[in-house]
Amino acid sequence: MGRQSQKDPYFEAHEKVGQALRRGDSVGAAAIAEEWSGRAERAGRYDKAASFRYGCSMALFMNARYSESATCAERGKQDAVKASAWNLAAVNAFALSQVYANLGNNALAEEEARTMMWFAARDPGGPTFEMRIVFGGALRKRAKYSEAMEQFRMAAQQALTLGAFVQEAAAIDQIAFVRRDEGSRVEAEAALTEAFRLRRLHDPANVGRSYLNLSQLRLQQGRAVEALRLADLALQHPPMGLQPQYLHFYKAKALLALGKQLEAIGHLRLAVEWIQRLRMHLPLSDEVRVSSEASSQEMFSATVQACARQFEKTGKASWMEEALQMAMEGRAAAVRNRLGTSTAWRRRLPEEYGSLLAQVRQKELQRFSRAKAANPADTQALKTRLAAMEVAAAGGTNSFSPAPSTAELRSRMAADEMLVLFHVGEEESWQWFVYRGGMRLQRLAGRGELARQVDAFASAVNSGAPERIERGRAFYQRLFGALENPHRFTRLTIAPDDRLFDLPFAALISNAVDSPVHLAEHSVIRLVPAVFWRDAKVHTDTRFAGVADAVFNRADPRYKPRSFFKNEAPVLELPSLPASARELSRSIGAWGNSPHVEMSGIQINAAALLQTLREPTAVLHLATHVIQPPGDSTPPIIHLGLGPRGEIESLNADSIAAIPVAPRFVTMSGCSSGRGLPARGEGLIGLTRAWLMAGSTAVVASLWPVPDDSGNLFNVYYRALRTRVSEPGSWAAAASLQKAQLASLRSGDKSWAAYFVIGWM
């Protein structure tokens, strides 16, 4: 039997994979496993293919090639299901859950871990202790502590029974993390110490993991000297499977706690270097990338803060430049990656992808219902399937567009142009002014205080309250008061952060006395999600497409009120926007004699709109309701009325980002269309970001609800934009909006300051 098995080519290939791993060649092991998984698939041996896919995934995971690792695991899971090999399906889901957990997407990690446990329950062997540790870890990161502790205790007991002391130590570590998260540091320390004892005895090669865990606990306990000593030991004994950025980051945190800022910056630089390398190997799924960037923002932010403080201490411009470079590198990386990567992978998405997107939209719209809303877990399960399809279709490495150097940035700016970039921190924030002749850096208040100031000013401007002038002057002085002759910069590129995306910059008051002069009266303003040049070509497209007054009420014969109880209000009913049809008609007229597509009222059809956008389009104007699902973290949705069978139709951020040929200029005149959900490092997750990710150059949106009118502002905007449509970049839209806003301001229109332009440089 032994001689026969050694002649089995699959057995021999597995041996080669094992040999490569034992000599530390994870890349070589992955290459062998990938080759043999393909051979097995072609031979119809899906069980063998699934086994090799798992080996390939884990080898790539160890080498931090997360995109390829996730692709292998997803395909391995599919192969295992074909073969009804439930244990192999479980281990591939195990690998996928680990990838998502390492990238900070705890929701996807939990979903895959639950899938893993479901597969494992169908196998006679049941879940292994490694599976229970991964499942419990996913639950812990979602603050489901009781469930997590049950899994960890079962895993520790299984491991102890089998004498698997390495896995027992891992389970005890996780128990310690639960206790630490719950605030029981004494119990956490006892558990971490026991895990350390087990590793010293049975797994000395990985004792560095215990050093690092204890270092983090010491830092939380305020014992920075001990934390630093343990962090040093962790660096001297790096544990397998742990990326070096964490080792350097936690040492840097200990050094910062001890006031050793220069030494800390050295380790922060190393941590950031590792993050930049890893970006080349992240899955293209936006949900995965956003969570990954959010988890790495603590390292970028710490580096920005340390370099900025060093500039304040020394006055050396090199520190100011390094702080700016880190702030730019940490900004909107997921969008920059998507735009810098070929879209060929989208053609590999299965047909089911589109129907799943539609199901997600329906689930999100159900949240407006008085009837039973969709279970968030069901929506998450659909999003997990979408992410899995994106992972399987993409695979491999991808392109990434780094931020420009400060020298390149300044060389590309005109004499009248200035970049204003913000970095918001918990205790303090920073603001850079960059222009051709130099740059400046100043400190601002922390996140909480800035948010209060933004809310107070935006509320006053929205309501037209008299205090808007005093607050506008005070805010302007905070942001621009230190600049000498700021009016010489007639074009401002502003890169906000966090709640500063909600600030109506155009309405800031730039003079201290006399009649108020708004910032928009002497400067063209465009917002950018990141410092990134996207659009340098000359455009000739002039096609205009527009949608207005989508109906979802009893005026539409397709409308079918759905309710579970007699006399209950309909699931969703929105008022008509009669003036918006006039707004669209006037906008098309202002644009001039060009091809156009006009949809309004019950003529609107989501499928027809998406079909229209398959052709190059210069402008898309959406004069429709923008609705925000209440009480949750879902981005806004563009309402498009009813479908042929009376179903709700809409566009959400995922649907927009998947549009193959995005309009160059997009206007969303609906209420609060420019709002979104703050995400660290990625700005606002909402509709404006989705259009920019799809490839649009500039988006006009609103900060708060605006009245339904005939669109005087947009009449001026499109007349101005039509004369500049061939210009590259987003300045054409910004200058045209400025002209329209000033005309509205002079006419007494109070909603002029609600609108803004966000786009690419």
Side-chain angles (χ1 to χ4, degrees), residues 178-252:
V178 171
R179 295 306 184 209
R180 181 195 64 193
D181 294 349
E182 291 176 333
S184 304
R185 291 180 182 169
V186 173
E187 292 180 52
E189 182 168 3
L192 289 177
T193 303
E194 174 60 14
F196 173 65
R197 184 188 69 81
L198 288 170
R199 286 196 176 98
R200 283 286 299 270
L201 289 172
H202 304 287
D203 190 22
N206 275 312
V207 73
R209 191 171 294 274
S210 281
Y211 288 137
L212 186 64
N213 293 339
L214 286 164
S215 174
Q216 293 176 61
L217 183 66
R218 292 288 181 265
L219 202 56
Q220 290 179 338
Q221 293 169 332
R223 297 156 66 178
V225 173
E226 292 177 63
L228 179 59
R229 180 179 62 82
L230 289 163
D232 275 328
L233 288 168
L235 273 166
Q236 293 166 24
H237 303 85
M240 288 178 60
L242 185 69
Q243 291 305 308
Q245 69 265 27
Y246 296 107
L247 298 169
H248 290 290
F249 179 57
Y250 286 113
K251 178 168 182 179

Side-chain angles (χ1 to χ4, degrees), residues 11-22:
F11 178 85
E12 291 179 356
H14 273 297
E15 282 291 294
K16 288 179 182 177
V17 171
Q19 289 167 9
L21 287 174
R22 285 190 290 275

Side-chain angles (χ1 to χ4, degrees), residues 30 33-34 37 49-50 52-58 60 66-79 92 95-96 391-392 395:
E34 175 64 22
S37 63
F52 281 115
R53 293 272 185 217
Y54 169 68
C56 178
S57 177
M58 293 309 296
L60 290 165
Y66 294 126
S67 179
E68 295 157 288
S69 175
T71 300
C72 279
E74 185 59 43
R75 292 176 181 170
K77 193 170 60 171
Q78 293 168 10
D79 285 337
N92 277 285
L96 201 50
V391 163

Side-chain angles (χ1 to χ4, degrees), residues 715-751:
N715 186 42
V716 178
Y717 170 70
Y718 286 121
R719 287 187 188 280
L721 184 61
R722 185 67 175 83
T723 65
R724 311 182 62 152
V725 69
S726 63
E727 297 177 14
S730 55
W731 277 128
S736 300
L737 183 64
Q738 180 202 35
K739 188 172 183 177
Q741 286 181 309
L742 295 185
S744 293
L745 175 63
R746 294 180 189 120
S747 71
D749 181 357
K750 294 180 180 179
S751 64

Side-chain angles (χ1 to χ4, degrees), residues 150-162:
E150 180 183 358
Q151 295 299 323
F152 295 145
R153 288 183 177 123
M154 291 172 70
Q157 186 58 51
Q158 275 183 277
L160 178 63
T161 301
L162 296 172

Side-chain angles (χ1 to χ4, degrees), residues 385-428:
R385 290 172 66 190
L386 287 172
M389 290 177 183
E390 291 171 347
V391 163
T397 58
N398 44 77
S399 301
F400 186 78
S401 302
S405 67
T406 53
E408 179 190 0
L409 178 60
R410 288 168 59 185
S411 71
R412 295 184 66 164
M413 298 178 79
D416 66 339
E417 185 181 351
M418 180 167 68
L419 168 69
V420 184
L421 185 140
F422 296 91
H423 177 85
V424 175
E426 290 298 331
E427 297 179 3
E428 61 197 14

Side-chain angles (χ1 to χ4, degrees), residues 622 624-627 636-641 649-652 656 668 687 691:
L622 296 165
T624 63
H625 283 291
V626 174
I627 47 183
I637 297 167
I638 298 171
H639 173 59
L640 292 177
E649 294 204 340
S650 65
L651 280 181
N652 64 3
I656 291 168
M668 298 183 293
L687 299 173
W691 286 114

